[in-house]
C-alpha cells in the first residue's frame, strides 16, 4: 500500500483464503493502486463463491468469477431490495426506516415490477437519439475545459480541470441541475460515497441532498424545460403513481452516477495511458484505438471497487454453492473483470484488446446501466481530443504515488497532476 492510501473500514483477509471455509471479511487492501486486492485472484481460483463475513449481521457470500457474476446479475432470485447498499464494506449506520424516509426505493434498490416501472420512466429520457444529439454539445464542453487546461499553470490537476467538470456540466444540463450548484452537489456526492462518515454526517448529507433535489423539482414544476427532471415530472402527470420522493431518488442516482463514475474513469484512462510503457503515444498515432481504450479502462480499472450487494429471495445454487433465502451475496465486478477464463492476460492493460467490451462494469440483466452510452461518448470525446491537443502530455508525479480513493465506493485518482508543452 503506497503512502497515499488509507485502508477502508474492514481489515484485509488472510493470505491463503482457500485454506478453510470460515467467513472472511471483504478483501480491500490493494498492493498496487490500480489493481484489485491480490486475495481476490486466489478466491476466484480456489473459492469462486466464498463465505463472506459482514461488518454486522450474519455472514454471506462473495462471488468473484466472471461467468458466475454475470449469471447472478441476471438472476431475479437475487434481490436488489436492500436498505444499505454497502453493508458488506461498513456496518450499517442508519436504520432501514431512516433510509426509507431519506431515499425511497429506486432503480438500485427495487425489483420487478416496481423496478420495471421506474426503469421504463427513466429509459424514456435516455434514448439513443437524445444521447447522440448530445455529442456536439459534449465536444464543445470538452474543448472549453481543455482550453482551461492549456492555460493553467503547470503542473495542473487534470481531475479538477477536466475529468470532474466535464461530466458534471453534461449531467447538469441533461438532468436540469444548475451547474452553478456544482460545489454543493459534488460535496454531497463525495460525502455520500465515502465509507468513513459518521452516522450524523451520513444522515445530514442524505437529508441535505434530498432537500436540494425536492427544491429543484419544485422549480421545474413551475417552469418546465427540456431536461430529465421536467421529463420525469411530465411522466408523473401521466402516471399518478410516481411521487416527488421517487423523482428525487431517481435524480440523485442519475446525478451521482452521471458525473462521479465518469470523472474517475476519465482520470483512470489518462493515468493508464501515461504510465510506463506510455501507450498514450501508440493511441495518439492510431486514434482508431480510442474506443477500445475506453472499454479496456472500464474493464481493467473497474470503478465500483467493492462490488454489488444482493439478497437471496429464495434458496438457490450458484456455482455449486447452496445459498439460503435471506443470505447476502456480493457480486465483485473488479474480480470478474480480471478473470483469465474470460480475458487473456487479464492483469495487463492492453490497448489492442478486442473483447474488452464484454466487461461487467455497466452491470448485466435488469439493472444494466442506462447511462452507459452517455458515459462512453464522454470518455471517447475527452480521450480523442486530448490525444490530439496534448501529444506530449505526461505525469508530473510517479504513477505509483498518485493518491486514489481507497475509502470511497467509486475508485479513481484523487489528484492527477500533469505537465505538457504549452
Amino acid at each position: 500500500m503506497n503512502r497515499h492510501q488509507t485502508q477502508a473500514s474492514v481489515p484485509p483477509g488472510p493470505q491463503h483464503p482457500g485454506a478453510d471455509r470460515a467467513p472472511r471479511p471483504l478483501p480491500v487492501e490493494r498492493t498496487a493502486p490500480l489493481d484489485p486486492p491480490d486475495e481476490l485472484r486466489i478466491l476466484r481460483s480456489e473459492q469462486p463463491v466464498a463465505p463472506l463475513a459482514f461488518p454486522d449481521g450474519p455472514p454471506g457470500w462473495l462471488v468473484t468469477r466472471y461467468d458466475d457474476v454475470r449469471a447472478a446479475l441476471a438472476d431475479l432470485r437475487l434481490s436488489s431490495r436492500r436498505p444499505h447498499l454497502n453493508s458488506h464494506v461498513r456496518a450499517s449506520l442508519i436504520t432501514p426506516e431512516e433510509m426509507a424516509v431519506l431515499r425511497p426505493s429506486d432503480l438500485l434498490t427495487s425489483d420487478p415490477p416496481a423496478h420495471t416501472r421506474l426503469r421504463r420512466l427513466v429509459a424514456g429520457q435516455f434514448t439513443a437519439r437524445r444521447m447522440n444529439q448530445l455529442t456536439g454539445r459534449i465536444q464543445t464542453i470538452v474543448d472549453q475545459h481543455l482550453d482551461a487546461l492549456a492555460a493553467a499553470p503547470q503542473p495542473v490537476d487534470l481531475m479538477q480541470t477536466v475529468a470532474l467538470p466535464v461530466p458534471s456540466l453534461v449531467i447538469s444540463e441533461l438532468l436540469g441541475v444548475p451547474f452553478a450548484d456544482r460545489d454543493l452537489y459534488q460535496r454531497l456526492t463525495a460525502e455520500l460515497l465515502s465509507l468513513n462518515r459518521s452516522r450524523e454526517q451520513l444522515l445530514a448529507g442524505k437529508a441535505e441532498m434530498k432537500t436540494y433535489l425536492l427544491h429543484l423539482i419544485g422549480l421545474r414544476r413551475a417552469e418546465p424545460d427540456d431536461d430529465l427532471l421536467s421529463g420525469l415530472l411530465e411522466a408523473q402527470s401521466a402516471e399518478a403513481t410516481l411521487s416527488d420522493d421517487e423523482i428525487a431518488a431517481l435524480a440523485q442516482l442519475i446525478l451521482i452516477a452521471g458525473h462521479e463514475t465518469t470523472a474517475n474513469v476519465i482520470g483512470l484512462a489518462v493515468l493508464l495511458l501515461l504510465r510506463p510503457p506510455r501507450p498514450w503515444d501508440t493511441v495518439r498515432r492510431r486514434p482508431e484505438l480510442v474506443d477500445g481504450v475506453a472499454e479496456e479502462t472500464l474493464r481493467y480499472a473497474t470503478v465500483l471497487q467493492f462490488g454489488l450487494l444482493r439478497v437471496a429471495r429464495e434458496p438457490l445454487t450458484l456455482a455449486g454453492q447452496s445459498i439460503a433465502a435471506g443470505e447476502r451475496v456480493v457480486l465483485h465486478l473488479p474480480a470478474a473483470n480480471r478473470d483469465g477464463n474470460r480475458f487473456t492476460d487479464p492483469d495487463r492493460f492492453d490497448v489492442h484488446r478486442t473483447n474488452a467490451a464484454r466487461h461487467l462494469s455497466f452491470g448485466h440483466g435488469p439493472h444494466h446501466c442506462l447511462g452507459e452510452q452517455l458515459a462512453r461518448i464522454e470518455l471517447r470525446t475527452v480521450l480523442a481530443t486530448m490525444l490530439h491537443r496534448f501529444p506530449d502530455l505526461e505525469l508530473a508525479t510517479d504513477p505509483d504515488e498518485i493518491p486514489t480513493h481507497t475509502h470511497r465506493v467509486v475508485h479513481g485518482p484523487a489528484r492527477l497532476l500533469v505537465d505538457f508543452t504549452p
Side-chain angles (χ1 to χ4, degrees):
M1 188 163 63
N2 67 47
R3 63 185 177 89
H4 293 285
Q5 289 179 293
T6 57
Q7 189 171 336
S9 57
V10 291
Q15 292 301 309
H16 301 287
D20 58 57
R21 298 286 292 176
R24 305 290 184 178
L26 183 75
V28 296
E29 185 176 355
R30 295 171 180 256
T31 55
L34 299 187
D35 290 328
D38 291 339
E39 188 182 344
L40 293 169
R41 181 170 56 251
I42 304 171
L43 284 170
R44 192 172 52 231
S45 173
E46 299 182 10
Q47 288 182 277
V49 182
L52 180 67
F54 280 72
D56 59 1
W61 303 95
L62 175 62
V63 186
T64 50
R65 222 163 42 183
Y66 179 97
D67 287 343
D68 301 332
V69 170
R70 188 175 189 275
L73 286 169
D75 195 331
L76 293 180
R77 295 174 298 175
L78 292 171
S79 173
S80 295
R81 288 187 59 81
R82 68 278 188 205
H84 304 290
L85 300 181
N86 302 298
S87 62
H88 54 302
V89 188
R90 65 176 177 192
S92 303
L93 299 178
I94 59 178
T95 67
E97 292 75 21
E98 289 171 328
M99 176 65 80
V101 170
L102 291 168
R103 187 180 180 188
S105 181
D106 63 7
L107 288 174
L108 286 181
T109 59
S110 61
D111 295 324
H115 176 268
T116 306
R117 175 180 65 90
L118 293 173
R119 186 177 178 92
R120 176 175 54 81
L121 293 172
V122 178
Q125 311 300 319
F126 277 89
T127 62
R129 179 183 63 83
R130 189 170 198 164
M131 296 302 102
N132 288 330
Q133 287 176 341
L134 282 172
T135 301
R137 177 57 182 153
I138 291 172
Q139 183 66 64
T140 298
I141 291 171
V142 169
D143 290 340
Q144 291 171 343
H145 286 83
L146 292 185
D147 289 343
L149 178 69
Q154 297 184 49
V156 55
D157 183 1
L158 187 80
M159 299 304 297
Q160 292 300 317
T161 310
V162 178
L164 185 57
V166 166
S168 294
L169 183 51
V170 171
I171 202 63
S172 291
E173 294 186 358
L174 182 64
L175 184 58
V177 174
F179 187 59
D181 294 345
R182 62 190 178 279
D183 288 344
L184 170 64
Y185 67 70
Q186 286 172 3
R187 171 180 62 80
L188 291 172
T189 294
E191 291 176 357
L192 293 176
L193 293 176
S194 175
L195 297 174
N196 58 4
R197 308 293 289 175
S198 69
R199 167 180 161 80
E200 291 71 23
Q201 290 171 325
L202 187 61
L203 284 170
K206 288 182 177 295
E208 187 176 358
M209 176 67 90
K210 181 175 180 179
T211 299
Y212 171 66
L213 292 172
L214 288 174
H215 169 69
L216 290 183
I217 289 169
L219 295 178
R220 280 292 172 268
R221 179 173 285 115
E223 296 184 26
D225 204 343
D226 184 24
D227 52 47
L228 264 65
L229 269 181
S230 299
L232 289 172
L233 285 169
E234 184 178 348
Q236 182 188 49
S237 299
E239 295 200 22
T241 56
L242 189 63
S243 68
D244 279 7
D245 281 358
E246 285 181 314
I247 293 177
L250 291 170
Q252 176 178 318
L253 174 61
I254 294 168
L255 180 62
I256 293 177
H259 82 273
E260 183 72 23
T261 53
T262 306
N264 282 284
V265 174
I266 291 171
L268 288 164
V270 174
L271 172 55
L272 287 166
L273 288 172
L274 292 181
R275 72 175 187 170
R278 194 179 160 84
W280 180 271
D281 297 322
T282 299
V283 182
R284 179 175 54 82
R285 291 189 295 268
R286 295 187 56 191
E288 71 274 12
L289 294 176
V290 166
D291 285 3
V293 167
E295 303 299 336
E296 177 70 341
T297 300
L298 289 160
R299 181 201 71 84
Y300 181 88
T302 311
V303 295
L304 294 178
Q305 60 178 329
F306 301 125
L308 298 174
L309 179 62
R310 298 288 189 265
V311 179
R313 304 172 67 175
E314 59 185 79
L316 69 145
T317 300
L318 183 58
Q321 175 61 56
S322 296
I323 297 172
E327 288 190 314
R328 291 176 286 184
V329 180
V330 174
L331 310 177
H332 208 287
L333 304 185
N337 283 338
R338 293 288 190 99
D339 190 340
N341 289 322
R342 179 59 56 183
F343 304 102
T344 303
D345 197 5
D347 294 319
R348 181 168 66 93
F349 179 71
D350 183 2
V351 299
H352 301 286
R353 192 179 300 276
T354 58
N355 69 338
R358 297 172 73 178
H359 63 77
L360 297 174
S361 296
F362 290 119
H364 176 66
H367 288 270
H368 191 88
C369 178
L370 281 169
E372 64 167 311
Q373 184 178 1
L374 176 61
R376 285 183 164 117
I377 293 172
E378 291 177 281
L379 180 56
R380 293 165 180 167
T381 304
V382 170
L383 290 179
T385 312
M386 285 190 68
L387 285 158
H388 175 70
R389 289 191 55 177
F390 298 88
D392 63 344
L393 191 74
E394 61 182 16
L395 297 174
T397 55
D398 185 326
D400 291 328
E401 295 296 315
I402 292 172
T404 57
H405 295 304
T406 57
H407 62 290
R408 283 165 61 173
V409 174
V410 177
H411 185 248
R415 292 190 307 279
L416 189 60
L417 299 180
V418 293
D419 286 316
F420 51 88
T421 302

